PDB file of all heavy atoms in Angstrom:
ATOM      1  N   ALA W  52     -20.052  38.240 -22.069  1.00 95.00           N
ATOM      2  CA  ALA W  52     -19.511  39.324 -22.889  1.00 95.00           C
ATOM      3  C   ALA W  52     -20.631  40.048 -23.636  1.00 95.00           C
ATOM      4  O   ALA W  52     -20.595  41.282 -23.794  1.00 95.00           O
ATOM      5  CB  ALA W  52     -18.490  38.771 -23.878  1.00 95.00           C
ATOM      6  N   ILE W 141     -27.773   7.658 -19.263  1.00 96.00           N
ATOM      7  CA  ILE W 141     -26.532   7.581 -20.039  1.00 96.00           C
ATOM      8  C   ILE W 141     -25.508   6.728 -19.307  1.00 96.00           C
ATOM      9  O   ILE W 141     -24.889   5.828 -19.894  1.00 96.00           O
ATOM     10  CB  ILE W 141     -25.964   8.992 -20.299  1.00 96.00           C
ATOM     11  CG1 ILE W 141     -26.895   9.779 -21.229  1.00 96.00           C
ATOM     12  CG2 ILE W 141     -24.560   8.900 -20.914  1.00 96.00           C
ATOM     13  CD1 ILE W 141     -26.508  11.240 -21.393  1.00 96.00           C
ATOM     14  N   LYS W 157     -19.670  14.407  -9.594  1.00 64.00           N
ATOM     15  CA  LYS W 157     -20.217  15.364  -8.630  1.00 64.00           C
ATOM     16  C   LYS W 157     -20.605  14.730  -7.293  1.00 64.00           C
ATOM     17  O   LYS W 157     -21.276  15.353  -6.474  1.00 64.00           O
ATOM     18  CB  LYS W 157     -21.435  16.074  -9.222  1.00 64.00           C
ATOM     19  CG  LYS W 157     -21.121  16.961 -10.416  1.00 64.00           C
ATOM     20  CD  LYS W 157     -22.373  17.683 -10.897  1.00 64.00           C
ATOM     21  CE  LYS W 157     -22.100  18.466 -12.156  1.00 64.00           C
ATOM     22  NZ  LYS W 157     -23.334  19.133 -12.650  1.00 64.00           N
ATOM     23  N   PRO W 162     -20.938  22.942  -3.582  1.00 97.00           N
ATOM     24  CA  PRO W 162     -20.207  24.200  -3.825  1.00 97.00           C
ATOM     25  C   PRO W 162     -20.375  25.251  -2.740  1.00 97.00           C
ATOM     26  O   PRO W 162     -19.422  25.976  -2.434  1.00 97.00           O
ATOM     27  CB  PRO W 162     -20.767  24.684  -5.170  1.00 97.00           C
ATOM     28  CG  PRO W 162     -22.005  23.888  -5.413  1.00 97.00           C
ATOM     29  CD  PRO W 162     -21.836  22.599  -4.699  1.00 97.00           C
ATOM     30  N   ARG W 220     -35.681   8.128 -28.092  1.00 96.00           N
ATOM     31  CA  ARG W 220     -36.850   8.127 -28.985  1.00 96.00           C
ATOM     32  C   ARG W 220     -38.106   7.637 -28.271  1.00 96.00           C
ATOM     33  O   ARG W 220     -39.208   8.111 -28.550  1.00 96.00           O
ATOM     34  CB  ARG W 220     -36.556   7.301 -30.229  1.00 96.00           C
ATOM     35  CG  ARG W 220     -35.495   7.946 -31.136  1.00 96.00           C
ATOM     36  CD  ARG W 220     -35.284   7.159 -32.426  1.00 96.00           C
ATOM     37  NE  ARG W 220     -34.232   7.781 -33.213  1.00 96.00           N
ATOM     38  CZ  ARG W 220     -32.941   7.434 -33.151  1.00 96.00           C
ATOM     39  NH1 ARG W 220     -32.560   6.451 -32.332  1.00 96.00           N
ATOM     40  NH2 ARG W 220     -32.046   8.050 -33.901  1.00 96.00           N
TER      41      ARG W 220
END
Side-chain angles (χ1 to χ4, degrees):
I141 293 172
K157 295 183 185 178
R220 292 184 183 93

